[in-house]
């Protein structure tokens, strides 16, 4: 280039080139069956050859990969950054091409086999060598793009952006594409559009026979009907709860706050279990009604009524939290303005408050709608013969049918619904901006509720509150009696079966049946916790503070994983990661990865909310003080993001511990998880152990939440408030 | 009319046809100027005129779409903010709330890799310079607005940058404090011989602190000169109105004689300096305090009007006068000591030709 001859090569570029060399010369290229971190491979070097050695040992297609580091080194030696991007892209491209072309069973594509006329060479899944190779190549591309002026020439930003995008492509987009591919192929792997059309249009999904009174409807309509019902009920309950919390002087607000936290720490199916114990054929309420009023026992709870009840109990708090945010966004001064314009409280509510919160209601409805669609565990536990998409997907894979194609088709239908709802919800949220226009200097007091409305709110929410309290009483107490409802003798039998600690010949050991899954769950959740927070906060920072082409699309993709139901994630991970080139099933790593990418939107949102409170001039001040973007991020911004980091860590931990829908596909005997274990107990009717285990989980997580809140939350409030006000004064 | 190629020294900042676009909109449009070392130059203009974008282009917080930017003769157009030898004092001060005063002020030195002890010593010097010795351990939130501003200044000058930038530094201070702080900034600039680029929308502030003022409007420079030149020799109606209020009267020019030209304003005839302005489309700018109101509707060679509104502003009266021929509104101010004229009175309005300026009325 004429105007920039021999730009200086920075140290990090040299580092990436060295990493590229290490990845092809030193590290095992392929996956180690016994696990990389067991380091068994050090004693069996033949099973852990690096790419350089493999390319001379019968795998010549790896040889081109070696050229990339050599070319990069030559460019660096010539003090040139330009060209590194091409080298990196070619290295990466070749890795992807040969990885998909040659798999564990020979040629990866039928046309390649036809062309070559042989079964072809084989190779196992990629290992750490390949992983680091990809990272190094990606960063070389980033260095070159930065040199071309991307992101104001900032290589940290470009590198972070490419890294996050690559991770999302691999762990969000690629599995979804695998579903699509799997859906249009038959079980032999041939493309069969006819078969796809048959499966897609099957009456099991779309039948409307139940409307005519003969037979059952397809699972798609069941799912939609259920989700609409749950969405409406949750919003209808969430709004009065939010009004009570913000616009009345009810003393029991702490109760509301606690009830809003409970569903986050409650494993999702536990509410279904409690409902069975209450309203099942042998449930407490059923028995009471049968003995005292002669109402015959029935199985009405199994099916739509039970699922709907469980989901309304579980998701109303989510709608409540959304609507609290919406109501807080309504500036009190516009309501005061209305009152000074001779409108009474009822008229103010009807003409000012209500229109302003209406988009928020739609948003709450759609979020509850998505949650209901994605819910897997309650339909599993209490669904009976009522088929919904999420459970259908599961049974298509684990059942006798084992029809991955059908599971894929069902997943596509379910994903279509949730993504549509997600897109609609984002449009409403986008419109919501007019609610929160007045941020500063708003000293008004929110208008109190008109009396009729207030009493209406109490009446509407009372049954929900009572039922919630009863359900949690059952969950926390039910495991400590012999058979709740029938035989209420207190017992520690279930607790001891699950959590006993005994002294054996080798000292104390955890003999209870629940320990292995509990420890594994906590371990994996702890590993996922910092990763989720890190990638989420980094993504939030990129979204909020950087300008780049395609930012809107990037944000949409990052937040979209919220709308991908857990069952879809589970099936997509099985389809994508069961075979090379990326073979992860059966490992703990895939469970951690699923935790990270499922919970990433929560930490992105926490990060965005926190960043919105930090004036952008802080970043700029740091930049003009000779700190580059990485050091600006680390020294000036990250310390201020502590609240978001804590929130992200808590939520990712808790959500990982309570997750069931995605991981139920991914667990193995060795990597079993609490929730899957509980579902298994409930499935065989061992309600005692299931309930006691759930109660222990709730208590443990409550303790974690309260502990972190006390340790971090209070101090933050004490220190930040006066400062942040003074700093944010002149935007 | 750019005689910006001042004296010998090479400019500290040079803009060569710099343009910054956001999509199709140019926020800064082909702007060129030079800033001589050790001078304080103000970018002045109404909000949205591109002055802050220009400042951010100097800082490297925005990248130019076209053109070239030089700092101390080196082309910095493609350098990031961290790579430019420039510091900035932000409107909101942008003090890091999680660091104490000392950590804030030594932040830049530490970014450059200086040892902690040495950085602390240099930072303490600058804190003393801005009168904040002894405040090292305070949190920003424990300081008053004026003190926060001084910390921001100390943090910026500790790097001894080639150019120091101020983005509306007084806008968060109350009116009394503003006057003092702007004097302090000027003193500091002159004592340390700093090159300063200063952005404000307040013309009085600009007149008070600047060696030179660059007035911008609609993404372009409209005039560039000393405070005296801008006030007394405005190049356009916009400048005349923006630099202190002015009444702008459309006039018809007659014949020139030497330095002066005969102009007609309705029934009134005046001889004013023509300043090389051609006859067509000329106007006369007259400051409100230059207008004389006479409580006599029949004064010869004067405009006839009626007092529409009188406001008492403590040290002076302000009159809104409706003129019949040519139909227009004028604003006049008279000392509080002068006898007030009642509203609705018919008056004559005159002014001294020496205090009126012929301008190009575009």
């Amino acid at each position: 280039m004429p105007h920039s001859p021999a730009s200086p090569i920075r140290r990090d570029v040299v580092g990436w080139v060295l990493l590229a060399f290490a990845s092809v010369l030193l590290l095992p290229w392929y996956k180690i069956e016994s696990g990389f971190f067991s380091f068994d491979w050090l004693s069996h070097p033949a099973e852990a050859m690096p790419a350089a050695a493999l390319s001379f040992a019968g795998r010549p297609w790896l040889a081109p990969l070696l050229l990339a580091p050599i070319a990069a080194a030559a460019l660096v030696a010539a003090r040139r950054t330009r060209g590194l991007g091409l080298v990196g892209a070619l290295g990466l491209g070749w890795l992807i091409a040969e990885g998909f072309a040659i798999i564990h069973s020979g040629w990866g594509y039928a046309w390649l086999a036809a062309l070559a006329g042989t079964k072809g060479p084989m190779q196992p899944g990629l290992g750490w060598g390949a992983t680091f190779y990809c990272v190094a190549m990606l960063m070389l591309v980033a260095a070159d793009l930065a040199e071309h002026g991307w992101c104001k020439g900032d290589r940290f930003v470009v590198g972070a952006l490419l890294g996050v995008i690559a991770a999302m492509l691999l762990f969000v987009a690629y599995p979804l594409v695998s579903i699509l591919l799997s859906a249009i192929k038959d079980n032999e792997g041939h493309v069969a559009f006819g078969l796809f059309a048959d499966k897609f249009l099957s009456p099991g999904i779309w039948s409307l026979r139940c409307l005519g009174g003969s037979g059952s409807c397809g699972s798609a309509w069941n799912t939609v009907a259920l989700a609409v019902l749950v969405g409406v009920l949750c919003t209808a309950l969430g709004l009065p709860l939010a009004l009570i919390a913000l616009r009345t002087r009810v003393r029991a607000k702490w109760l509301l706050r606690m009830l809003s936290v409970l569903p986050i720490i409650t494993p999702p199916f536990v509410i279904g279990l409690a409902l069975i114990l209450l309203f099942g054929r042998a449930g407490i309420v059923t028995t009471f009604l049968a003995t005292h009023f002669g109402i015959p026992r029935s199985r009405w709870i199994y099916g739509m009524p039970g699922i709907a009840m469980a989901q309304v109990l579980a998701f109303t708090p989510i709608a409540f939290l959304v609507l609290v945010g919406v109501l807080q966004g309504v500036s009190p001064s516009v309501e005061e303005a209305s009152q000074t314009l001779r409108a009474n409280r009822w008229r103010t509510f009807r003409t000012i408050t209500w229109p302003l919160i209406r988009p928020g209601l739609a948003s709450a409805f759609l979020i509850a709608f998505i949650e209901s669609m994605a819910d897997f565990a309650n339909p599993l536990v209490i669904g009976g013969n009522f088929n919904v998409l999420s459970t259908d997907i599961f049974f298509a894979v684990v059942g006798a049918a084992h029809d991955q194609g059908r599971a894929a088709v069902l997943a596509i239908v379910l994903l279509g619904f949730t993504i549509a709802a997600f897109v609609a919800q984002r449009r409403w949220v986008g419109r919501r901006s007019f609610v929160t226009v007045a941020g500063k200097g708003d000293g008004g007091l929110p208008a109190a509720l008109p009396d009729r409305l207030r009493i209406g709110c109490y009446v509407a929410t009372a049954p929900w509150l009572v039922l919630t309290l009863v359900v949690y009483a059952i969950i926390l107490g039910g495991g400590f009696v012999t058979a709740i409802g029938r035989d209420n003798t207190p017992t520690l039998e279930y607790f001891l079966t699950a959590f006993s600690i005994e002294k054996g010949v080798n000292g104390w050991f955890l003999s209870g049946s629940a320990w292995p899954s509990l420890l594994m769950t906590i371990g994996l959740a702890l590993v996922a916790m910092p990763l989720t927070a890190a990638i989420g906060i980094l993504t939030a920072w990129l979204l909020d503070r950087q300008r780049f082409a395609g930012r809107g699309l990037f944000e949409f993709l990052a937040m979209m994983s919220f709308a991908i139901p857990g069952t879809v994630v589970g099936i997509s991970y099985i389809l994508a990661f069961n075979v090379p080139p990326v073979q992860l099933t059966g490992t703990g790593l895939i469970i951690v990865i699923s935790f990270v990418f499922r919970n990433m939107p929560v930490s992105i949102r926490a990060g965005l909310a926190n960043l919105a409170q930090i004036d952008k001039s802080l970043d700029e001040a740091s930049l003009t003080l000779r700190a580059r973007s990485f050091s600006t991020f680390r020294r000036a911004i990250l310390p201020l993001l502590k609240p978001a980091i804590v929130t992200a860590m808590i939520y990712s931990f808790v959500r990982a511990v309570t997750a069931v829908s995605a991981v139920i596909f991914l667990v193995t005997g060795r990597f079993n998880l609490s929730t899957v274990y509980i579902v298994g107990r409930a499935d065989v009717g061992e309600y005692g152990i299931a309930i006691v285990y759930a109660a222990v989980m709730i208590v443990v997580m409550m303790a974690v939440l309260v502990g972190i809140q006390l340790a971090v939350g209070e101090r933050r409030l004490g220190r930040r408030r006066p400062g942040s006000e003074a700093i944010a004064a002149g935007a | 009319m750019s005689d910006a190629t001042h004296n010998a020294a090479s400019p500290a900042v040079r803009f060569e046809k710099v343009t910054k676009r956001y999509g199709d909109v140019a926020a800064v449009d082909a702007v060129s100027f030079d800033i001589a070392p050790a001078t304080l130059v103000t970018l002045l203009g109404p909000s949205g005129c591109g002055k802050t974008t220009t400042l951010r282009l100097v800082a490297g917080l925005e990248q130019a779409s076209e053109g070239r930017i030089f700092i101390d003769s080196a082309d910095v157009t493609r350098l990031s903010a961290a790579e430019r030898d420039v510091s900035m004092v932000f409107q909101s001060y942008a003090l890091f709330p999680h660091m104490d005063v000392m950590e804030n002020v030594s932040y830049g030195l530490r970014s450059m890799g200086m040892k902690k002890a040495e950085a602390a010593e240099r930072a303490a010097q600058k804190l003393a310079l801005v009168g904040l010795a002894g405040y090292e351990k305070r949190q920003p939130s424990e300081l008053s607005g004026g003190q926060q501003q001084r910390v921001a200044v100390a943090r910026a000058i500790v790097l001894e940058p080639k150019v120091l930038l101020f983005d509306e530094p007084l806008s968060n201070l109350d009116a009394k404090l503003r006057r003092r702080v702007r004097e302090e900034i000027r003193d500091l600039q002159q004592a340390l011989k700093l090159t300063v680029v200063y952005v404000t929308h307040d013309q009085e502030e600009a007149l008070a602190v600047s060696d030179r003022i660059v007035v911008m409007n609609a993404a372009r420079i409209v005039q560039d000169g000393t405070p005296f030149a801008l006030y007394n020799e405005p190049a356009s109606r916009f400048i005349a109105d923006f630099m202190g209020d002015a009444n702008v009267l459309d006039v018809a020019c007659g014949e020139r004689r030497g330095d002066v030209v005969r102009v007609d304003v309705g029934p009134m005839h005046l001889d004013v300096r023509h300043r090389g302005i051609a006859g067509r489309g000329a106007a006369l700018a007259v400051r409100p305090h230059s207008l004389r109101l006479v409580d006599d509707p029949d004064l010869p060679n004067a405009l006839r009007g009626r007092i529409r509104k009188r406001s008492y502003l403590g040290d002076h009266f302000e009159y809104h006068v409706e003129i019949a021929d040519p139909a227009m509104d004028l604003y006049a101010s008279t000392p509080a000591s002068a006898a007030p004229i009642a509203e609705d009175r018919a008056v004559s309005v005159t002014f001294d030709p020496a205090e009126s300026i012929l301008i190009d009325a575009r």
Side-chain angles (χ1 to χ4, degrees):
Chain A
M1 292 287 129
H3 60 273
S4 73
S7 51
I9 296 291
R10 295 187 170 103
R11 265 180 305 175
D12 55 326
V13 175
V14 177
W16 296 124
V17 173
L18 290 177
L19 181 70
F21 273 111
S23 68
V24 291
L25 294 177
L26 302 174
L27 287 167
W29 186 256
Y30 292 124
K31 187 183 177 210
I32 311 276
E33 279 310 319
S34 56
F36 179 86
F37 293 105
S38 65
F39 292 104
D40 289 342
W41 52 276
L42 288 174
S43 49
H44 305 92
E47 288 162 28
M49 294 215 283
L54 286 166
S55 57
F56 296 105
R59 294 199 159 103
W61 61 86
L62 294 181
L65 294 173
L66 311 182
L67 298 176
I70 295 170
L75 283 172
V76 168
R79 308 207 141 269
R80 284 192 48 184
T81 311
R82 297 186 178 215
L84 285 177
L86 185 66
V87 169
L90 287 177
L92 213 51
W94 181 257
L95 176 78
I96 294 170
E98 60 89 9
F100 280 101
I102 301 168
I103 57 172
H104 61 299
S105 56
W107 296 113
Y109 298 102
W111 59 268
L112 267 177
L115 197 70
T118 60
K119 189 164 172 286
M122 301 176 212
Q123 61 179 347
L126 298 172
W128 284 104
T131 308
F132 284 117
Y133 186 82
C134 290
V135 172
M137 291 301 127
L138 215 50
M139 292 306 129
L140 291 181
V141 175
D144 196 353
L145 290 178
E147 199 70 20
H148 275 85
W150 279 43
C151 301
K152 296 182 183 168
D154 196 308
R155 74 188 58 213
F156 169 67
V157 175
V158 181
L161 197 57
L162 285 188
V164 172
I165 289 175
M168 289 201 308
L169 285 179
L170 181 58
F171 294 116
V172 180
Y174 168 57
L176 291 182
V177 172
S178 303
I179 290 192
L180 277 176
L181 291 178
S182 169
I184 57 170
K185 281 181 188 167
D186 61 19
N187 282 349
E188 276 72 52
H190 301 292
V191 175
F193 285 108
L195 193 65
F196 170 71
D198 282 353
K199 281 179 173 166
F200 190 83
L201 300 172
S202 100
I205 304 179
W206 299 106
S207 161
L208 279 169
R209 268 179 305 183
C210 58
L211 294 182
S214 57
S216 58
C217 273
S219 48
W221 295 126
N222 284 349
T223 311
V224 172
L226 176 70
V228 169
L229 179 68
V230 169
V232 168
L233 288 176
C234 285
T235 314
L237 284 167
L239 179 62
L241 284 170
L243 287 172
I244 291 172
L246 292 179
R247 300 293 174 90
T248 65
R249 296 186 185 175
V250 170
R251 296 285 159 95
K253 281 178 189 157
W254 61 271
L255 183 72
L256 285 176
R257 214 164 48 214
M258 204 171 97
L259 287 175
S260 65
V261 176
L262 277 175
I264 299 163
I265 60 168
T266 308
F269 48 84
V270 174
I271 293 178
L273 272 185
L275 287 180
I276 292 178
L277 294 177
L278 278 171
F279 301 110
R281 263 181 71 79
I284 304 170
V285 175
T286 315
T287 310
F288 179 81
L289 292 177
T291 45
H292 294 278
F293 298 97
I295 296 172
R297 296 166 187 271
S298 75
R299 297 176 54 83
W300 66 273
I301 192 78
Y302 295 97
M304 177 119 163
I307 307 176
M309 266 173 88
Q311 291 185 344
V312 168
L313 286 172
F315 305 139
T316 297
I318 296 173
F320 164 71
L321 286 179
V322 171
L323 290 168
V324 163
V326 171
L327 272 181
Q328 280 171 337
V330 176
S331 149
S333 60
V334 300
E335 291 176 326
E336 289 181 340
S338 160
Q339 288 178 329
T340 62
L341 295 168
R342 313 288 176 273
N344 61 21
R345 283 192 297 183
W346 173 245
R347 187 174 159 74
T348 298
F349 182 83
R350 201 167 46 80
T351 57
I352 304 296
T353 319
W354 174 254
L356 286 174
I357 61 175
R358 223 164 24 198
L361 288 176
S363 176
F365 165 80
L366 287 166
I367 287 172
F369 179 90
I370 292 174
E371 291 280 356
S372 163
M373 286 223 152
D375 186 20
F376 161 76
N378 280 311
L380 185 71
V381 170
I382 203 172
N385 293 324
F386 186 79
N387 293 331
V388 294
L389 289 167
S390 58
T391 46
D392 269 10
I393 293 171
F394 179 67
F395 289 121
V397 177
V398 302
H402 194 74
D403 186 346
Q404 285 195 345
R406 179 175 148 74
V409 169
L410 290 166
I412 290 172
V413 174
L414 180 55
L415 196 58
F417 283 130
T418 54
I419 299 274
F422 173 70
V423 172
Q425 191 262 345
R426 283 183 60 89
R427 293 193 55 179
W428 282 110
V429 171
R431 293 239 197 107
R432 213 192 71 183
S433 57
F434 66 78
V435 176
T436 48
V437 136
K440 282 179 201 160
D442 213 332
L445 288 172
L449 284 186
D451 286 340
R452 327 176 227 179
L453 194 60
R454 199 184 66 220
I455 292 162
C457 286
Y458 295 150
V459 172
T461 53
W464 178 84
L465 279 170
V466 170
L467 194 55
T468 301
L469 290 176
V470 170
V471 160
Y472 277 95
I474 298 261
I475 294 167
L476 294 175
F480 295 94
V481 296
T482 309
I484 190 162
R486 274 175 295 155
D487 178 1
N488 289 334
T489 346
T491 175
L492 280 176
E493 183 198 332
Y494 303 121
F495 183 72
L496 291 178
T497 312
F499 293 104
S500 61
I501 302 172
E502 285 174 45
K503 189 170 186 183
V505 278
N506 296 323
W508 292 94
F509 71 102
L510 306 171
S511 59
S513 62
W515 284 116
S517 59
L518 184 64
L519 295 179
M520 179 57 72
T521 304
I522 291 176
L524 293 178
L526 281 177
V527 173
M529 180 173 81
L531 296 174
T532 316
I535 194 169
I537 301 281
L538 185 63
T539 307
W541 180 74
L542 289 171
L543 283 173
D544 194 70
R545 292 299 211 256
Q546 305 297 330
R547 294 284 164 272
F548 46 87
R551 188 177 151 278
L553 186 69
F554 177 62
E555 184 187 7
F556 180 78
L557 288 175
M559 301 309 283
M560 193 187 72
S561 39
F562 165 76
I564 306 175
T567 22
V568 176
V569 172
I571 182 77
S572 73
Y573 273 33
I574 286 192
L575 292 171
F577 301 126
N578 211 17
V579 293
V582 187
Q583 191 182 359
L584 293 169
T585 47
T587 63
L589 185 61
I590 194 172
I591 297 177
V592 170
I593 289 171
S594 82
F595 286 159
V596 169
F597 287 90
R598 268 183 71 56
N599 299 330
M600 192 173 77
V602 180
S603 59
I604 294 178
R605 226 171 285 157
L608 285 176
N610 197 334
L611 279 166
Q613 295 175 333
I614 302 173
D615 194 17
K616 281 197 176 65
S617 62
L618 283 186
D619 301 51
E620 295 176 344
S622 172
L623 288 170
T624 59
L625 292 169
R626 314 288 181 275
R628 291 172 182 287
S629 63
F630 175 64
S631 118
T632 293
F633 179 60
R634 189 173 58 82
R635 292 169 61 205
I637 303 304
L638 213 50
L640 296 172
L641 284 177
K642 207 166 80 183
I645 294 169
V646 170
T647 310
M649 298 240 269
I650 292 178
Y651 274 75
S652 79
F653 176 77
V654 169
R655 280 176 55 107
V657 170
T658 57
V660 59
S661 52
V663 293
I664 202 165
F665 292 87
L666 305 174
V667 294
T668 60
R670 189 170 152 221
F671 296 103
N672 199 4
L673 299 179
S674 303
T675 48
V676 180
Y677 180 86
I678 299 177
V679 169
R681 293 302 94 196
D683 211 28
V684 296
E686 293 183 17
Y687 292 124
I689 289 182
I691 289 280
V692 89
Y693 197 162
V696 167
M697 282 175 73
I698 290 174
V699 169
V700 166
M701 277 181 293
M702 198 64 147
V704 169
L705 272 182
V706 171
I708 295 179
Q709 208 83 31
L710 288 180
V712 185
E714 299 303 321
R715 212 183 64 205
R716 185 191 87 212
L717 285 180
R719 228 191 83 162
R720 275 280 321 278
R721 202 173 264 161
S724 56
E725 258 171 26
I727 297 304
Chain B
M1 53 158 67
S2 168
D3 62 344
T5 43
H6 294 285
N7 30 25
S10 66
V13 180
R14 160 170 278 183
F15 266 43
E16 279 185 9
K17 296 216 158 107
V18 174
T19 296
K20 174 67 187 175
R21 280 198 196 84
Y22 298 105
D24 292 338
V25 187
V28 171
D29 194 359
V31 162
S32 302
F33 57 78
D34 284 353
I35 292 174
T39 57
L40 194 158
V41 174
T42 299
L43 300 173
L44 175 68
S47 55
C49 70
K51 57 189 190 300
T52 297
T53 308
T54 306
L55 191 77
R56 293 166 60 83
L57 283 164
V58 180
L61 294 170
E62 305 284 350
Q63 296 281 311
S65 313
E66 282 161 36
R68 296 212 286 167
I69 301 171
F70 298 85
I71 290 175
D72 212 18
S73 309
D75 186 342
V76 299
T77 315
R78 293 279 154 245
L79 293 188
S80 73
E83 292 163 323
R84 297 189 188 183
D85 198 357
V86 168
S87 301
M88 181 152 165
V89 175
F90 288 79
Q91 188 176 14
S92 61
Y93 316 139
L95 301 182
F96 304 122
H98 56 301
M99 299 180 188
D100 63 24
V101 167
M102 173 53 79
E103 287 167 329
N104 263 289
V105 176
S106 54
Y107 183 91
L109 297 170
R110 302 278 291 145
S111 295
M112 293 170 73
M114 188 181 282
K115 290 269 181 304
K116 197 170 181 178
E118 195 187 346
E121 191 182 315
R122 300 258 296 262
Q125 273 173 20
K126 301 298 181 201
L127 277 172
L129 196 64
V130 298
L132 282 181
Y135 285 73
E136 286 84 355
K137 289 291 158 221
R138 299 276 193 100
Q139 293 293 320
S141 55
E142 297 167 342
L143 301 178
S144 70
Q147 289 168 332
Q148 291 186 12
Q149 213 256 2
R150 291 166 191 217
V151 175
V153 171
R155 186 176 70 175
I157 60 174
V158 76
L159 292 172
E160 293 171 1
K162 294 219 173 77
V163 185
L164 180 58
L165 310 175
F166 284 90
D167 184 10
E168 309 224 5
L170 308 184
S171 60
N172 283 333
L173 300 176
D174 57 52
K176 279 246 168 67
L177 205 51
R178 275 183 204 183
R179 191 164 302 215
R180 213 182 74 206
V181 172
R182 82 182 182 210
E183 277 174 23
E184 285 173 2
I185 290 175
R186 182 61 162 160
D187 287 347
L188 195 71
Q189 182 262 330
Q190 289 177 328
L192 302 180
K193 302 217 180 323
L194 296 169
T195 308
V196 171
V197 186
Y198 188 107
V199 159
T200 180
H201 62 268
D202 179 342
Q203 50 90 19
E204 188 192 317
E205 190 181 324
L207 291 172
V209 298
S210 312
D211 289 310
R212 211 174 111 219
I213 299 175
V214 176
V215 185
M216 295 183 70
N217 189 32
R220 288 169 179 273
I221 293 179
V222 286
Q223 196 174 353
D224 174 350
T226 63
F228 188 86
L230 281 166
Y231 193 81
N232 294 297
E233 306 274 318
S236 66
R237 180 189 285 253
F238 172 80
I239 299 280
D241 198 29
F242 192 73
M243 299 302 296
D245 297 327
N247 297 293
V248 180
L249 297 73
D250 290 313
V251 296
C253 289
E255 91 194 68
R256 287 190 187 182
R257 236 176 300 122
D259 261 359
V260 296
V261 62
R262 161 66 54 98
V263 299
D264 300 336
V265 189
M268 193 172 159
H269 312 289
L270 294 161
D271 288 329
V272 298
R273 286 190 307 125
H274 60 66
R275 301 170 65 219
I277 288 160
R280 279 179 194 287
L284 210 52
V286 190
R287 306 285 176 197
H289 59 79
S290 302
L291 287 181
R292 251 195 347 269
L293 302 183
V294 182
D295 196 357
D296 166 10
D298 301 316
L299 205 70
N301 199 24
L303 298 169
R304 315 269 169 246
R306 191 176 62 86
I307 304 287
R308 175 78 200 284
K309 184 89 195 155
R310 185 184 74 194
S311 316
Y312 175 63
L313 292 159
D315 59 342
H316 67 279
F317 284 103
E318 196 173 274
Y319 292 95
H320 173 183
V321 190
E322 249 174 22
I323 304 295
D325 175 29
M328 62 178 166
D329 293 330
L330 293 180
Y331 290 87
S333 68
T334 62
S337 54
I341 306 174
E343 289 185 358
D344 251 359
R345 293 280 295 184
V347 290
S348 296
V349 181
T350 64
F351 47 88
D352 183 352
E355 289 182 32
S356 59
I357 311 151
L358 194 64
I359 54 173
D360 205 333
R362 279 167 301 172

